[in-house]
Amino acid sequence: MESLFSSALNSAIKLAKNFASNDGHETYGIPHVAIALMHESTGVTEILQSMDKDVAYVMDWFEMRREVYVGQKGGREGEGTIGDEHVHKVLEEAERSKIKLGTDYIDGVCVLMAIVRKGVVYDNNQIESLSLDENDFLRLYDSPIRSSSNLPSGEGKEQFAESINYCTNLKTQKNIDEGSL
């Protein structure tokens, strides 16, 4: 999966590992990743600014969670700092963000979008206190794929699917005749 990561995201993950290591943890978590995304040249800070979000508040929000982060302490020889279970879950969700945004690689924006997707790591109240959610990114990118609550129903749903190029390409007569997806 790491081959799908942008080089800036790989740099941010290395920085997150360094943050956790400096904190005395063997694992790094979401707070380390989020802070690293805003420190590295991932474009996340600029995106947040373009959405009129208070970047300092977002940084503080994650810094507070970093301070109370309970990762494994101590040292296992040669293994290095590894991501915790939430990091693995977010990186899997970031692939969905990549698809929704239509990007070629999983980048920092995809990861932050996955972090603030309700229920992935943080609950609704926590996300509301952050004042940032997945739909903010979708609106900014004017993505044709919206959250399921925004999808039309009935006939409108089929017209919506046909308006998305890859759905139209998949629904060709040749594919229908061959029974292919």
Side-chain angles (χ1 to χ4, degrees), residues 53 57-58 61-62 115-116 125-132:
K53 300 296 180 180
Y57 174 77
V58 174
W61 196 89
F62 284 108
I115 290 170
V116 300
N125 292 332
Q126 291 170 313
I127 295 298
E128 286 176 18
S129 74
L130 181 58
S131 300
L132 181 67

Side-chain angles (χ1 to χ4, degrees), residues 114-147:
I115 290 170
V116 300
R117 187 173 295 137
K118 293 177 182 174
V120 173
V121 177
Y122 300 110
D123 64 32
N124 291 348
N125 292 332
Q126 291 170 313
I127 295 298
E128 286 176 18
S129 74
L130 181 58
S131 300
L132 181 67
D133 71 15
E134 177 183 29
N135 288 322
D136 293 328
F137 293 97
L138 293 174
R139 280 190 295 275
L140 179 70
Y141 278 77
D142 196 29
S143 176
I145 302 174
R146 301 287 188 225
S147 66

Side-chain angles (χ1 to χ4, degrees), residues 14 18 48 60 62 73 81 84 103 123 142 146 149 156:
K14 286 179 187 174
N18 287 336
L48 291 173
D60 289 344
F62 284 108
K73 294 196 181 254
T81 308
D84 67 14
T103 61
D123 64 32
D142 196 29
R146 301 287 188 225
S149 62

Side-chain angles (χ1 to χ4, degrees), residues 158-176:
E158 187 171 314
Q159 291 171 341
F160 177 79
E162 288 176 0
S163 72
I164 301 172
N165 194 29
Y166 70 86
C167 289
T168 305
N169 290 343
L170 292 176
K171 191 178 178 184
T172 63
Q173 190 58 48
K174 179 182 174 191
N175 286 343
I176 294 169

Side-chain angles (χ1 to χ4, degrees), residues 62-76:
F62 284 108
E63 274 292 346
M64 185 178 72
R65 277 146 185 84
R66 178 180 168 196
E67 290 173 8
V68 298
Y69 177 77
V70 180
Q72 293 179 333
K73 294 196 181 254
R76 285 180 284 189

